[in-house]
Amino acid sequence: MFRCIFSEGQKYKNLLNGRWVASRSGTWDQIFSPTDGSLVGEIPAVSPEEAGEFLETAVQAQKAWTTIPTNERAEVLHKAADILLREKDVIAGVLMREIAKNRKSSLSEVTRTADLIHFTAEEGKRVTGESLSSGAFPGFHETKLSIVNRVPVGVVLAIAPFNYPINLAASKIAPALVAGNAVVFKPPTQGSISALYLARVFCEAGLPAGVLNVITGQGRMIGDFLASHPLVNMIAFTGSSKIGKHIASLAGMKPLLLELGGKDAALVLEDADLSLAAQHIAAGAFSFSGQRCTAVKRILVLESVADKLIEKLLPLVQKMTVGRPEDDADITPLISNEAADFVQALIGDAIQKGAKLLAGNKREKNLVYPTLLDRVTVDMRVAWEEPFGPVLPILRVKTVEEAVRITNESEYGLQASVFTENVDSAFRIGAQLDVGTVQVNGKTERGPDHFPFIGVKSSGMGTQGIRYSIEAMTRSKAIVLNFH
Ligand code: NAP
Ligand code: G3H
């Protein structure tokens, strides 16, 4: 059982300097279940006037936290990971209700996050500096020695999206903390209650007051205040390209780690193992109903194997279960009616322009059935826009060069998959693709969490991933010894 008391009935509080607090104005945002519209709970709607205190107390707390030996900081993280695992069923239950993620994926988000935190705690102990002798540079001889350490940046502002309120929060909080930073965390509004459970885990693990402050409220109300605040030393953001670019415009010279949208393509070549490709594409496109930045969002298949691929893919889509997260359905309600309207508009545009509907195009409120569209062409919106829903367009191409060209014409550059039995083709094509990561014979995906996760173009800047995030949340500090 949890020890930190963080709610009164269905009113969940913010973590400020070690205390659980409501907003001073007494204003709350209500969070409703995307599945049945029932009230999941209420969260403080903090105003910009109150938000400054979350940053000020973090600045003070960081000064002491950074002096604590890394192995002791790591111990707090290990403890948090253990508590998270202990409470996995409770927290997965909250995820199911709050963001309609199915049971299996909710549990997997929690256990994956416990692994991430343990791994981060260990990786944090291996952060080292270096020393450089001036003797290596012409004209200096051994007159100087530069001792270069990694030091924390200070206060990290962490902002997470609704689709991974636990994992994409912890992937920022844990590296920041182990490196000696304080964190002010702004969760997604839909996802805030899950995120406050994560904060409760860190609180119970013994994190000193103020080292992690969690502030809820709608991004459009408090986001600009936080992102542009001079007490924030670095911003780690995951979310849409639109908000990411907006944050970048406010951030001034603050270092940024931005993981944004995607339009990942699966390129299926003539010599691909089509059964393997179909399985990976189906799982990659439709898990969490397509609400993943790394979802396979379009297939670019060589015309000669397109029918054979569809023969294998269509049955996998048709057998997907559609329904409630609690029943572990494959396809569950989207996060909002507006999200479903957007997906429906993309499907409608494609069909109206001549795409062939193979499955789906059925909707009950925000529950959109898995939709497969063939003969999608480049004049259709779904060829380019990120649906963040269960719709998968198939574009038939005549050559590999055409597939590469269409992949690269996207404004996004997160990941791409190449399905081929020829390793030379995989590497040749992989080198030509303008994306952060190319998956060979596998679906596009972020994990495991210690791998580098990179978005180029509108998909982001900087590299996420345990060691990479620690590097991004620390900076070099040099002290030069001069010999006389
Ligand atoms: P979103 O609308 O961009 O929101 C992301 C976060 O930004 C939320 O916490 C949101 O708070 C906050 N926010 C909104 N306006 C803000 C502002 N002016 N200043 C600061 N923060 C602000 O994205 P989403 O709908 O949650 O997530 C879906 C998008 O995220 C998709 O485009 C997806 O591809 C992308 N994504 C990318 C990755 C990746 O790693 N590349 C991972 C997951 C998701 P509120 O909820 O209060 O509005
Ligand atoms: O939604 C974006 C996430 O970074 C995707 O992570 O590939 O592990 O689902 P995932």
Side-chain angles (χ1 to χ4, degrees):
M1 285 288 286
F2 272 119
R3 286 199 299 276
C4 286
I5 307 298
F6 76 145
S7 64
E8 279 173 34
Q10 280 185 299
K11 286 182 157 47
Y12 295 86
K13 297 189 179 166
N14 280 186
L15 183 58
L16 170 61
N17 208 18
R19 290 174 298 116
W20 293 97
V21 298
S23 73
R24 277 204 296 271
S25 63
T27 319
W28 301 83
D29 281 327
Q30 295 186 312
I31 307 296
F32 297 100
S33 153
T35 306
D36 58 14
S38 61
L39 182 72
V40 185
E42 296 181 70
I43 51 155
V46 176
S47 65
E49 292 72 43
E50 306 169 66
E53 199 179 342
F54 288 75
L55 297 165
E56 286 148 21
T57 54
V59 171
Q60 291 311 317
Q62 193 266 337
K63 289 180 185 151
W65 177 243
T66 192
T67 65
I68 293 175
T70 312
N71 69 316
E72 290 178 31
R73 295 201 294 260
E75 269 321 299
V76 178
L77 263 64
H78 280 307
K79 212 167 159 191
D82 290 340
I83 297 168
L84 191 60
L85 219 45
R86 186 193 76 200
E87 300 296 336
K88 65 178 189 302
D89 294 314
V90 173
I91 297 175
V94 179
L95 280 170
M96 269 189 279
R97 280 205 70 205
E98 194 177 19
I99 60 163
K101 187 173 274 195
N102 73 17
R103 184 179 299 282
K104 188 163 162 255
S105 302
S106 291
L107 267 174
S108 134
E109 176 170 351
V110 179
T111 53
R112 165 187 184 175
T113 303
D115 290 339
L116 179 154
I117 297 173
H118 277 309
F119 200 113
T120 307
E122 290 308 303
E123 196 67 36
K125 297 177 189 171
R126 291 191 274 274
V127 175
T128 55
E130 60 180 355
S131 66
L132 304 174
S133 166
S134 59
F137 201 87
F140 274 87
H141 308 291
E142 300 288 338
T143 54
K144 289 170 183 279
L145 180 69
S146 181
I147 301 157
V148 190
N149 277 320
R150 299 296 300 175
V151 296
V153 291
V155 173
V156 173
L157 172 63
I159 305 178
F162 81 82
N163 64 339
Y164 278 101
I166 300 283
N167 182 269
L168 283 171
S171 70
K172 299 166 180 55
I173 294 170
L177 293 181
V178 82
N181 298 286
V183 176
V184 173
F185 170 40
K186 149 67 190 113
T189 294
Q190 191 82 34
S192 288
I193 299 175
S194 311
L196 288 169
Y197 269 89
L198 179 70
R200 187 187 199 186
V201 162
F202 278 106
C203 173
E204 187 173 328
L207 200 62
V211 172
L212 171 65
N213 287 337
V214 183
I215 177 169
T216 57
Q218 291 175 31
R220 63 191 170 81
M221 304 298 284
I222 51 169
D224 289 12
F225 175 85
L226 293 171
S228 57
H229 201 287
L231 293 182
V232 169
N233 302 107
M234 189 258 173
I235 304 174
F237 171 85
T238 304
S240 63
S241 300
K242 181 178 163 217
I243 303 290
K245 287 175 185 176
H246 175 67
I247 287 174
S249 74
L250 296 173
M253 287 180 67
K254 296 179 181 65
L256 296 174
L257 192 50
L258 300 178
E259 296 294 350
L260 311 176
K263 187 70 188 173
D264 294 359
L267 285 70
V268 183
L269 274 48
E270 285 171 323
D271 64 351
D273 175 336
L274 295 178
S275 300
L276 178 110
Q279 270 161 20
H280 274 261
I281 289 171
F286 294 104
S287 66
F288 193 29
S289 313
Q291 296 172 114
R292 295 166 51 243
C293 58
T294 47
V296 174
K297 292 182 180 133
R298 49 195 181 147
I299 298 173
L300 298 167
V301 58
L302 269 291
E303 178 71 61
S304 56
V305 291
D307 289 336
K308 286 193 201 120
L309 177 72
I310 289 169
E311 243 172 64
K312 293 178 187 300
L313 180 61
L314 184 56
L316 299 177
V317 177
Q318 285 167 331
K319 78 169 192 213
M320 285 177 184
T321 56
V322 179
R324 292 169 55 84
E326 292 80 2
D327 300 332
D328 222 11
D330 297 317
I331 304 294
T332 52
L334 295 185
I335 199 69
S336 64
N337 279 326
E338 294 71 34
D341 288 344
F342 181 72
V343 174
Q344 194 61 55
L346 292 182
I347 297 170
D349 172 77
I351 292 173
Q352 189 247 321
K353 289 178 180 155
K356 185 176 166 202
L357 180 70
L358 299 178
N361 190 26
K362 185 176 160 196
R363 175 181 171 189
E364 293 153 16
K365 291 187 186 158
N366 56 335
L367 185 60
V368 177
Y369 282 62
T371 299
L372 192 58
L373 294 164
D374 188 16
R375 300 194 179 278
V376 168
T377 49
V378 292
D379 58 326
M380 300 176 190
R381 288 174 57 200
V382 76
W384 306 107
E385 294 182 36
E386 181 185 42
F388 233 57
V391 53
L392 180 57
I394 301 170
L395 287 85
R396 295 168 178 242
V397 292
K398 292 194 178 59
T399 61
V400 170
E401 290 68 33
E402 188 185 354
V404 170
R405 181 174 52 74
I406 294 174
T407 304
N408 289 346
E409 274 173 11
S410 171
E411 67 163 301
Y412 298 108
L414 195 54
Q415 295 202 349
S417 293
V418 181
F419 290 93
T420 171
E421 294 286 84
N422 184 328
V423 74
D424 292 345
S425 305
F427 273 81
R428 182 175 48 79
I429 295 164
Q432 294 168 16
L433 295 173
D434 230 349
V435 295
T437 302
V438 177
Q439 303 269 356
V440 178
N441 292 326
K443 59 182 182 289
T444 44
E445 62 182 344
R446 174 165 49 105
D449 288 325
H450 70 305
F451 278 13
F453 188 53
I454 310 144
V456 298
K457 302 196 280 183
S458 287
S459 291
M461 60 193 279
T463 305
Q464 195 182 263
I466 292 171
R467 178 164 62 78
Y468 305 92
S469 296
I470 294 174
E471 278 170 11
M473 292 167 180
T474 53
R475 63 181 172 83
S476 297
K477 169 84 184 274
I479 295 187
V480 179
L481 268 181
N482 289 274
F483 305 119
H484 301 286

